[in-house]
Amino acid sequence: MARARSSGDALAALLALSGAVAVIAGAYGTHGASGKAAEWLSTGSLYQIVHAVAGLAILARSRGTAALFLLGMTVFAGTLYAMAFGAPRWLGAITPIGGLSLILGWMWLAMGYLKGK
């Protein structure tokens, strides 16, 4: 009998796919883009890959942290990627919201450890 998929499985799959997107963005930033676009792709890729790996590493312990990481990297890296491909620069004003989500994820994780959870 097949095991029912849990929301943790879906979150893990999204985190893993996010890692793949980070590698693609980083590769394109290195080999296909130039100037500010290359910088945005590089920065987004770095933050995305770090948080994809961290999210997968702590998923069993803290789904909330993993979800905040996924949200944060999607907004943070996503707005940088969009601008790299020609989206309006006002999206840069939204990028820090993703960064805040990443910070909150790390704080949530720290609180969990401090509380012994």
Side-chain angles (χ1 to χ4, degrees):
M1 180 177 255
R3 178 175 73 92
R5 286 188 172 80
S6 71
S7 62
D9 292 341
L11 185 54
L14 289 171
L15 288 162
L17 289 172
S18 185
V21 169
V23 172
I24 293 166
Y28 185 73
T30 298
H31 301 291
S34 61
K36 200 65 172 167
E39 290 177 38
W40 287 329
L41 289 165
S42 177
T43 300
S45 174
L46 174 63
Y47 277 72
Q48 188 172 10
I49 196 71
V50 165
H51 288 88
V53 171
L56 286 166
I58 55 86
L59 180 59
R61 180 177 178 89
S62 178
R63 262 192 210 161
T65 296
L68 281 169
F69 283 172
L70 182 62
L71 173 65
M73 71 177 114
T74 300
V75 174
F76 184 87
T79 55
L80 292 176
Y81 298 161
M83 290 189 306
F85 289 106
R89 289 200 176 196
W90 62 259
L91 277 177
I94 297 171
T95 307
I97 295 170
L100 178 60
S101 180
L102 297 173
I103 292 166
L104 291 173
W106 286 110
M107 292 173 73
W108 184 328
L109 185 60
M111 292 302 296
Y113 277 106
L114 290 173
K115 290 181 178 180
K117 295 180 182 178

